[in-house]
Structures are given as C-alpha cells and as structure tokens.
Amino acid sequence: MAVSEDFSIGQMHTILYATRTFEKDKFLLRNIIELARIFGASVHLAVFPDNEDAGVADHIDNALQLKAYIDFLKKLYPDVKFMGRVLHGEQFEERVNEYDQNREIDLIVLITYPKGFWENLLKGSVTKKNSMPL
C-alpha cells in the first residue's frame, strides 16, 4: 500500500486499486474492502491490461471486462462505491501515477502474486518496485 504524503488519520475518501487482472478472490480483496468500509471510501479500479499491442477490439474487450468486473464487485459488496478505468500505454507505473495525479487519491493498493524463480529473476515485481516500506 502507498499512502499519500499529506494523508492524515481519519480521512480517506478514495482508494486506488491498481491491477493487471480482474481479481475475484475474496481473500485477496478483503483488506481493500475493509478499508473502504471503515472509512466510507470509494474504490477506483485502474486496470492495466498486459497487451502492449492492443488494437481497437482489445480496448473494447477490456472496457467490457471492466464493466463486468465492477458489476461483480458491486453485487458482492453493495455497501462500497466502485468506479474504474482501463489504463493504456507502455508503463504501468506512469499510467498509475497519472491517474493518481488527476484525482484525489488517498491510498494506492497493489496486490502481489507469487512468481516462480525465473519470473522473479527476469521480471521482478512491479508492486515491490512501486512501494516503499512503512
């Protein structure tokens, strides 16, 4: 989790959940949902698909998947407000930062996924690169 520099305890209006997948595992989503409930915060979904060579059909498909995902989350967690956007481009970090700068985001959340030895060695973790220890 990354917390805004000017964040103060007691105020959290917007949580940005930045992801490359449409996560449906309740266990992985639980912390985001609980924080949203505790603070009455809305959850912005910034989905960055892993298709750098996306064409028009891919963009339409991603938008449809995002709508279905938001509908799924709203049905599962009706007390939490969700909205989202598909982010396109080459750099995940840059797109997430741009999204954050254009909105008043209080908390950015990324979910880490286990990787195999070779994937860790060759690619590393985008989440670890974009987070700082608390």
Side-chain angles (χ1 to χ4, degrees), residues 23-24 67-77:
E23 183 59 61
K24 293 187 176 183
K67 183 187 178 328
Y69 185 55
I70 290 174
D71 290 344
F72 164 81
L73 291 173
K74 286 179 177 180
K75 186 175 182 180
L76 201 58
Y77 309 107

Side-chain angles (χ1 to χ4, degrees), residues 40-74:
S42 61
V43 177
H44 287 235
L45 301 162
V47 180
F48 191 88
D50 241 351
N51 53 353
E52 293 176 14
D53 301 325
V56 174
D58 293 314
H59 292 288
I60 292 169
D61 185 51
N62 291 332
L64 292 172
Q65 286 183 53
L66 177 62
K67 183 187 178 328
Y69 185 55
I70 290 174
D71 290 344
F72 164 81
L73 291 173
K74 286 179 177 180

Side-chain angles (χ1 to χ4, degrees), residues 2-71:
V3 181
S4 173
E5 188 176 319
D6 56 351
F7 176 76
S8 64
I9 297 294
Q11 77 172 42
M12 185 181 310
H13 306 290
T14 309
I15 298 170
L16 174 61
Y17 167 38
T19 184
R20 290 181 183 263
T21 65
F22 298 101
E23 183 59 61
K24 293 187 176 183
D25 185 332
K26 291 180 191 178
F27 180 77
L28 293 174
L29 295 170
R30 77 185 188 293
N31 291 332
I32 300 167
I33 300 304
E34 286 307 308
L35 282 170
R37 286 176 171 157
I38 289 168
F39 289 97
S42 61
V43 177
H44 287 235
L45 301 162
V47 180
F48 191 88
D50 241 351
N51 53 353
E52 293 176 14
D53 301 325
V56 174
D58 293 314
H59 292 288
I60 292 169
D61 185 51
N62 291 332
L64 292 172
Q65 286 183 53
L66 177 62
K67 183 187 178 328
Y69 185 55
I70 290 174
D71 290 344

